[in-house]
Amino acid sequence: MHLKVGNKFGDRLILAAVIALAIAWIAPLVWVFALSFKPDEFLAQRTDVMLSPPFTLKNYLNILGTSQVFGWTINSLIVACTQTLATLLLASLAGYGFARTEFRGKNVLFFIVLAGLAVPEQAIIVPLHAMFADLQMHNTYSALVLPRLALPFGVFLMTQYFKAIPKDIEEAAMLDNASRLKIFFRVILPLSIPAQATLGIFTFLNAWNDYLWPLVSASNPEMYTLTLGLASTQTNFAQSEGLGFLMAQAVFASLPVFIVYLFFQKYIVAAVSGKTVR
Amino acid sequence: MTVAMKVEASADRIQARKRGARAGQRWGNALFILPFLVVYLLMLVIPLFKGIWISLLEVDMLSNSADFVGLDNYVELFSDEIFIGAVLNTFYFVLISTPVFIALGLALALALNRPGRTGATLRAIFFGSSVLSVTIVTLVWKLVLMPHHGMLANITESVGLPSLSLLTSETWALPTIAVVTVWWIIGLPMMLFLAALQQIPREIYEAAALDNASRWRTLWSITLPSIRRTVALVAIIEVILQFQLFGQAQLMTQGGPNNSSRPIVQFIYEAGFRNWELGYAAAASQVLFAMMLVAMAFQVWLSSRKQAY
Amino acid sequence: MTKKSLIKSIVGVALAAALTQPVAAQQETEVTLSRFFGSCEADYGSVADVTKARGECGIITALVNKFNTTNELGVVVKPQVAEWATYYDQLTARLAARDVPTIAVMHESVLGDFVARKLVEPLDEGFEQVGIDTANFTEQAARGTIIDGTTYAMPFDTWAWLWHFNLNLFEQAGLTQADGSPVLPKNPDELLIQARQFKDATGKPYFGWITAGESVAPTRTFLTLVNQQGGELFRDNGHRIDMQGKEADIALNLMKQLWNEGHIKQGLDYSGAQQAYLNGDVGINVNGTWVIDNFVAASQKAGSPLEDGYTVVPFATLYDQKAVFADGHSWVMLKGGAKNEKERAGALAFLKFLWDHNYEWSRTGHLPVSKSIIDSEEFHSLPFRTNILEISSTGRTMPSNVARQRAVETIIGEEISNMMLSDKPADDVKQSIEKRVNRLISK
């Protein structure tokens, strides 16, 4: 569309509108970022001055002086990464099985898995909590990750994707008498990287932002993920006394994912801009 | 490219060995599904049925006592005004947020489907907030919306308007949460739409350009029909996600004022983990489940009808 | 395979990161301490000199540090700080998951629920061993922690609902006496008259209390007003709430009128209420004992709207009886928390340590729970403490036979907020409270 010459004015107008919206979009973050450099005592009285002094690095130094945020971040990273990798593996295997192989009862099973799309985590949170309690498994990484691996959406996505890969490709590999598993890992999996990226990002963000299940499962503060940890310092008491520190924590906590995101974003754009087998 | 070459090079040999390669693998094929199925069974199917069973019990979480009470929990739910309110709130929230996600997500994708640094930067901005966790988001927005001293109050006061207190307004609490939610996770629908837009063959647009078709005509007759499956996909994803509203409401308004922003999930959480009534909570979960089923069936029906045209 | 090795490498990275932090020696006995009060590792993480700490968070953090560095049993107390708003939800979840902390902080109003379910250890024997004398508990503390003759918790403080004044604004409104103390209303009419006078003179609302974000403030105010009239809300041995009495009606109407006439600043959450008061936007901050120390600090700061103009009294008596909503923090040992005798001994030693340092905690503003400290010169010389001493006799909680008081408080507060914020008619509010509360406590 951008190739068109006649509509330059319209294009610019749209761009201007989007830029204006984008500025509004990041305003709250800029605001918080600026406030994180203000002394607590100052913020307790006013929050409407961003660019003029006083400034301080104390809030950030305080973070470096305490280990809590690091612990939460590590918990979050472990949970989110494990969950993402495990989901990709399980969903790819299953997706491949459904899309490209034949076996008895496949269609019924696929339907059953798809039906799981409709089951919200909240519908099963009470029994799930009871089950993990019976096994005395709460406050472990497994408890945080395992329930999230039953993600029918992932299987659905991968199945759709594998179906679209031309059959010839793997049939060629079959000629070499390669086993199905080998074909899957050597041929199919590399071809599905764009879909893996999509599902991976989706899973990672969901894991990262997960709140309800960790809230009831990771009840021991040592097992807090970043999300829970930030909630725990967000008590009203902390807010009135340590706003600046809290803001700095928020900024600090966002940094790793923002960095990861910037890497992945390039990757996503490349992946979705037509360089796929489709 | 390599893929295409491989395909070509081996195409003539396929027929010869095809039959032999496939033989005897029928059972082995199911092994691909097995790992997922085990997890799926343990973490979803069994809990689902166990949840239905628990919803028929009166369970006190702390004393571990359980009595079978039949459908009492359900009967009680439907005379519980807080629960009814939570159901209505949840529907209302889905109803106001999903169209915004679709419309704004698509609009942004259309506007930002451009090469170059400007487009990339803007995409990064709109997607960026998605990586924040819900507690950061609510913290930021609580600060922004703080009466008298928040960013919004600073803005409204500087132009002489009265300070708003959106989160304590019965009318505005839930819509405000919707705005915050859109701000938070507009990135996903935008990215899904962008991916779909870039799958549309360029030749079609070039043909349209030759025909001197207007921007709107191109949009309506080429772009939208090509991505209608993605629209349906985004709609389903958003309905599923927004039915599950919890953190934003719990952290920003605690469900108030006057129960105007308490979603079902918060009700479930409070019943189960604050009031220790697991049976009651499980029953509410089943109702949420049923509601989502109905909504999704409706959507699937709607989108399949559209595609028939 | 790939998955496993990847997980391994992730765990490896995590371990490496964890190892860079100081790790306690293996031989020590670890006592886990589940608490709220916020976390302030940044400011007090390495402070072991308790006298240097201020505020709830600072003092408890410093107390734990001091215990960890000075105790001779090789005990390390490890705080597990949870969010105040969801503290009990999480504690319950931990109990259900059988991942039980050794010691947990608990409101005395909540203790009954846990005792009734046999979830907390009786402590009389242990107290005797380490030398905590339950006869030294104040009346209020004993009422809160001793149930049917058995001690289930170590009281830590008594806190109550107070009026924190901005005397500078009160002076401007002509509502101070010759000695500089504020003029207190003696009945609802006086309250309204003075509130109007205050508003006319200063243009600011008389009260600022939390009206957004959490609902405990209206509950505490309402229960205070009902108790001051000698009203009883609970019937049938604590299994039914009755909102039809005239006391409830009068209390609700007064609150409604204050709201409608604009004497309560709108839209403040906890931090907002604090900020509004510190900025001199309201005459009185209605809040608990725990903020006294912070407000004293603000009044000593040059240029602060509170400069030299702070005082605090219990919620003014507007009806026949002196009464004010009160509760207390206490420490319990949960069943299944201490895994062995050593851990149990360590936990008791820590409780004894906290008991001995009750004065330090009372610097937050809370009332101490040991009779000898409450009568001590040391305590009396803290600012304004003599103003609020009467709380230990006029403090009122819900009757102890009412179950699930936390949830009940939330419901009452939510409904009263509805009346103020959303114009829900008082009669509907009463009905909703009865319906919702009775569902919970009738069983």
Side-chain angles (χ1 to χ4, degrees):
Chain A
M1 266 192 296
H2 37 264
L3 295 176
K4 284 185 69 177
V5 239
N7 245 329
K8 268 212 161 147
F9 178 71
D11 261 350
R12 288 214 177 136
L13 206 64
I14 290 173
L15 189 63
V18 176
I19 288 175
L21 186 64
I23 289 171
W25 216 259
I26 51 167
L29 293 178
V30 173
W31 166 266
V32 167
F33 185 72
L35 291 189
S36 70
F37 293 97
K38 301 264 172 209
D40 278 341
E41 308 80 60
F42 180 82
L43 290 176
Q45 302 202 5
R46 56 188 307 180
T47 55
D48 58 346
V49 179
M50 277 166 58
L51 293 177
S52 57
F55 294 115
T56 178
L57 280 175
K58 183 170 172 281
N59 298 325
Y60 287 93
L61 294 175
N62 282 346
I63 288 179
L64 297 177
T66 148
S67 53
Q68 262 186 324
V69 186
F70 291 111
W72 301 336
T73 311
I74 287 164
N75 283 345
S76 269
L77 281 175
I78 292 176
V79 169
C81 290
T82 318
Q83 190 177 320
T84 305
L85 294 173
T87 301
L88 288 183
L89 188 77
L90 289 181
S92 306
L93 280 171
Y96 180 74
F98 281 128
R100 299 311 273 275
T101 69
E102 293 300 329
F103 55 89
R104 268 184 144 187
K106 188 181 92 167
N107 291 336
V108 178
L109 279 178
F110 191 61
F111 178 78
I112 291 175
V113 171
L114 274 197
L117 269 178
V119 180
E121 76 161 299
Q122 297 81 11
I124 53 174
I125 191 157
V126 172
L128 218 45
H129 185 273
M131 282 166 57
F132 277 90
D134 287 341
L135 296 170
Q136 303 210 17
M137 270 177 70
H138 280 300
N139 292 317
T140 62
Y141 291 128
S142 314
L144 289 177
V145 171
L146 280 175
R148 302 310 207 187
L149 299 184
L151 185 75
F153 173 72
V155 177
F156 175 70
L157 198 79
M158 294 317 294
T159 307
Q160 294 301 99
Y161 194 86
F162 287 133
K163 271 186 180 162
I165 295 178
K167 276 202 168 128
D168 308 353
I169 295 173
E170 66 185 307
E171 283 174 346
M174 274 181 200
L175 286 180
D176 305 334
N177 256 342
S179 78
R180 261 275 149 89
L181 204 63
K182 226 177 203 169
I183 297 175
F184 172 75
F185 278 113
R186 293 265 168 82
V187 182
I188 300 296
L189 217 51
L191 285 179
S192 66
I193 282 174
Q196 304 280 358
T198 309
L199 179 59
I201 297 271
F202 180 82
T203 312
F204 187 89
L205 289 180
N206 271 356
W208 193 263
N209 292 327
D210 207 356
Y211 181 59
L212 177 58
W213 176 246
L215 183 64
V216 297
S217 182
S219 44
N220 182 339
E222 284 160 37
M223 284 302 297
Y224 278 178
T225 58
L226 199 55
T227 311
L228 283 184
L230 285 178
S232 78
T233 56
Q234 219 183 99
T235 62
N236 295 315
F237 300 86
Q239 254 192 49
S240 57
E241 288 159 27
L243 215 47
F245 178 62
L246 212 55
M247 292 294 122
Q249 246 182 3
V251 173
F252 180 84
S254 329
L255 276 182
V257 265
F258 268 130
I259 292 167
V260 169
Y261 159 62
L262 285 180
F263 275 106
F264 267 93
Q265 210 240 352
K266 273 186 189 166
Y267 188 70
I268 298 172
V269 173
V272 294
S273 59
K275 284 173 196 150
T276 66
V277 275
R278 241 186 261 196
Chain B
M1 293 312 280
T2 49
V3 168
M5 278 159 61
K6 223 187 232 172
V7 173
E8 220 165 309
S10 52
D12 52 344
R13 288 189 288 161
I14 290 171
Q15 295 301 322
R17 305 278 296 269
K18 200 173 177 182
R19 211 176 304 147
R22 275 215 184 140
Q25 289 211 353
R26 299 223 143 182
W27 269 111
N29 289 342
L31 288 177
F32 281 103
I33 324 278
L34 194 67
F36 178 80
L37 272 189
V38 172
V39 176
Y40 185 71
L41 195 70
L42 288 177
M43 295 293 138
L44 203 143
V45 179
I46 292 177
L48 187 62
F49 287 102
K50 196 172 172 187
I52 295 172
W53 170 244
I54 293 178
S55 76
L56 304 176
L57 306 175
E58 191 179 299
V59 192
D60 182 294
M61 184 172 175
L62 280 187
S63 54
N64 258 332
S65 63
D67 300 309
F68 185 81
V69 293
L71 293 174
D72 280 9
N73 284 326
Y74 292 92
V75 174
E76 228 173 287
L77 271 182
F78 285 101
S79 61
D80 186 334
E81 53 185 278
I82 299 299
F83 180 72
I84 302 291
V87 171
L88 296 176
N89 290 338
T90 309
F91 264 109
Y92 180 49
F93 183 78
V94 170
L95 221 60
I96 55 176
S97 62
T98 306
V100 178
F101 273 114
I102 296 173
L104 188 62
L106 184 57
L108 286 175
L110 286 168
L112 299 179
N113 185 18
R114 55 169 74 229
R117 189 169 283 183
T118 318
T121 311
L122 289 171
R123 283 193 298 269
I125 287 175
F126 287 107
F127 190 78
S129 47
S130 310
V131 299
L132 297 176
S133 63
V134 65
T135 34
I136 296 179
V137 171
T138 54
L139 178 60
V140 167
W141 279 90
K142 267 159 92 176
L143 191 73
V144 168
L145 298 170
M146 192 161 49
H148 309 294
H149 296 279
M151 185 175 98
L152 190 71
N154 292 338
I155 293 171
T156 54
E157 271 163 25
S158 69
V159 292
L161 290 167
S163 172
L164 300 166
S165 178
L166 294 173
L167 292 176
T168 54
S169 148
E170 215 175 312
T171 318
W172 291 108
L174 202 56
T176 305
I177 291 174
V179 169
V180 173
T181 308
V182 168
W183 180 87
W184 181 25
I185 44 175
I186 190 68
L188 181 71
M190 181 184 80
M191 281 299 175
L192 289 173
F193 281 127
L194 269 171
L197 289 178
Q198 288 170 351
Q199 303 266 352
I200 303 174
R202 198 162 261 201
E203 303 82 60
I204 305 184
Y205 285 124
E206 278 158 8
L210 286 179
D211 289 349
N212 259 338
S214 75
R215 185 189 293 273
W216 282 109
R217 235 190 90 82
T218 320
L219 178 69
W220 281 111
S221 52
I222 299 176
T223 312
L224 286 183
S226 319
I227 60 165
R228 59 169 193 262
R229 288 181 64 152
T230 309
V231 174
L233 180 73
V234 169
I236 291 175
I237 290 176
E238 291 303 333
V239 167
I240 293 174
L241 284 180
Q242 302 322 322
F243 255 116
Q244 304 177 14
L245 168 69
F246 173 60
Q248 303 95 293
Q250 190 226 12
L251 290 164
M252 290 177 76
T253 64
Q254 284 78 38
N258 200 5
N259 196 30
S260 63
S261 64
R262 178 178 280 106
I264 300 181
V265 180
Q266 195 187 339
F267 182 90
I268 295 170
Y269 173 78
E270 288 174 350
F273 300 94
R274 173 170 305 161
N275 299 339
W276 311 332
E277 300 179 290
L278 290 187
Y280 201 50
S285 306
Q286 306 311 321
V287 176
L288 173 69
F289 183 29
M291 277 169 44
M292 287 181 61
L293 276 185
V294 170
M296 282 172 50
F298 178 71
Q299 272 205 331
V300 169
W301 174 76
L302 204 67
S303 54
S304 67
R305 240 169 58 108
K306 260 189 205 153
Q307 281 179 28
Y309 279 88
Chain C
M1 278 298 131
T2 26
K3 175 190 149 202
K4 259 192 187 164
S5 61
L6 274 166
I7 292 174
K8 258 187 202 163
S9 61
I10 292 163
V11 172
V13 169
L15 280 178
L19 285 175
T20 59
Q21 298 166 19
V23 177
Q26 299 295 312
Q27 295 304 312
E28 287 158 339
T29 309
E30 187 177 281
V31 168
T32 49
L33 178 76
S34 172
R35 65 165 179 87
F36 40 80
F37 301 129
S39 54
C40 45
E41 286 292 305
D43 291 328
Y44 292 103
S46 54
V47 176
D49 181 356
V50 184
T51 56
K52 294 236 168 70
R54 289 193 96 159
E56 283 182 311
C57 187
I59 293 176
I60 187 67
T61 306
L63 279 172
V64 169
N65 291 342
K66 184 176 178 187
F67 178 79
N68 284 345
T69 50
T70 58
N71 84 84
E72 286 158 2
L73 297 166
V75 175
V76 174
V77 172
K78 198 169 176 197
Q80 298 174 329
V81 185
E83 190 187 358
W84 180 82
T86 53
Y87 175 76
Y88 289 105
D89 309 359
Q90 295 209 7
L91 188 64
T92 321
R94 289 187 70 175
L95 287 168
R98 292 180 208 98
D99 174 45
V100 185
T102 330
I103 303 177
V105 67
M106 192 168 279
H107 287 95
E108 287 164 5
S109 57
V110 177
L111 186 62
D113 286 329
F114 287 80
V115 171
R117 290 172 175 78
K118 299 190 172 50
L119 295 167
V120 291
E121 298 274 3
L123 290 171
D124 291 288
E125 204 179 304
F127 281 178
E128 217 163 285
Q129 283 164 19
V130 294
I132 297 173
D133 182 8
T134 54
N136 202 5
F137 289 3
T138 60
E139 191 192 332
Q140 173 84 19
R143 201 162 43 215
T145 55
I146 303 177
I147 297 176
D148 295 332
T150 307
T151 313
Y152 286 101
M154 194 203 79
F156 200 36
D157 59 47
T158 297
W159 57 260
W161 207 221
L162 310 176
W163 285 12
H164 304 268
F165 286 87
N166 180 332
L167 286 176
N168 299 334
L169 287 175
F170 264 69
E171 200 176 348
Q172 193 185 331
L175 284 170
T176 44
Q177 295 167 4
D179 65 349
S181 65
V183 177
L184 293 179
K186 292 180 199 63
N187 55 55
D189 292 333
E190 274 188 35
L191 171 61
L192 286 165
I193 291 166
Q194 291 176 15
R196 285 173 204 140
Q197 185 182 334
F198 184 90
K199 200 175 184 188
D200 289 342
T202 64
K204 292 169 179 175
Y206 190 76
F207 285 125
W209 75 54
I210 313 159
T211 57
E214 60 180 64
S215 56
V216 284
T219 310
R220 293 169 184 164
T221 302
F222 172 73
L223 291 177
T224 300
L225 293 175
V226 169
N227 278 321
Q228 287 185 352
Q229 301 170 69
E232 294 282 348
L233 290 177
F234 294 93
R235 314 246 181 262
D236 301 347
N237 200 19
H239 285 291
R240 186 167 65 86
I241 191 169
D242 177 4
M243 293 288 293
Q244 303 306 326
K246 69 172 190 334
E247 294 89 355
D249 202 54
I250 290 171
L252 287 179
N253 283 336
L254 176 62
M255 291 173 78
K256 179 75 178 166
Q257 195 172 359
L258 285 170
W259 178 264
N260 285 353
E261 289 189 15
H263 301 310
I264 304 168
K265 194 167 173 74
Q266 304 202 358
L268 300 178
D269 61 4
Y270 189 93
S271 61
Q274 298 275 82
Q275 222 175 52
Y277 177 70
L278 289 170
N279 287 346
D281 291 340
V282 298
I284 297 172
N285 178 242
V286 185
N287 204 332
T289 42
W290 52 87
V291 283
I292 292 178
D293 194 34
N294 292 328
F295 289 166
V296 169
S299 72
Q300 289 162 349
K301 207 180 282 173
S304 151
L306 271 185
E307 190 181 354
D308 295 328
Y310 172 70
T311 193
V312 58
V313 299
F315 200 103
T317 308
L318 301 174
Y319 301 96
D320 307 337
Q321 300 180 16
K322 276 198 160 192
V324 57
F325 182 81
D327 198 345
H329 299 118
S330 68
W331 300 98
V332 298
M333 289 179 62
L334 295 157
K335 285 209 169 135
K339 311 288 180 296
N340 52 48
E341 207 36 55
K342 253 182 129 180
E343 192 180 333
R344 192 182 128 83
L348 282 167
F350 181 64
L351 289 183
K352 164 75 171 154
F353 174 85
L354 288 182
W355 175 251
D356 290 342
H357 289 77
N358 198 226
Y359 164 76
E360 296 296 344
W361 184 246
S362 73
R363 289 195 294 109
T364 55
H366 295 305
L367 284 186
V369 284
S370 143
K371 278 184 198 159
S372 44
I373 292 175
I374 221 167
D375 295 334
S376 70
E377 201 50 41
E378 199 182 22
F379 176 68
H380 284 261
S381 63
L382 287 169
F384 308 114
R385 296 315 195 274
T386 42
N387 289 12
I388 57 170
L389 268 183
E390 64 180 57
I391 292 165
S392 43
S393 57
T394 59
R396 292 282 178 280
T397 31
M398 277 188 220
S400 60
N401 54 12
V402 177
R404 298 184 175 180
Q405 296 196 3
R406 198 92 191 147
V408 173
E409 281 178 19
T410 306
I411 292 173
I412 293 176
E414 272 179 13
E415 289 297 336
I416 296 176
S417 300
N418 294 345
M419 176 184 77
M420 298 195 294
L421 269 61
S422 311
D423 281 322
K424 187 166 175 175
D427 284 339
D428 294 358
V429 166
K430 288 189 226 162
Q431 263 183 18
S432 297
I433 290 178
E434 289 186 349
K435 204 170 163 194
R436 292 177 64 189
V437 170
N438 287 337
R439 244 207 97 247
L440 278 183
I441 64 174
S442 62
K443 287 166 186 166

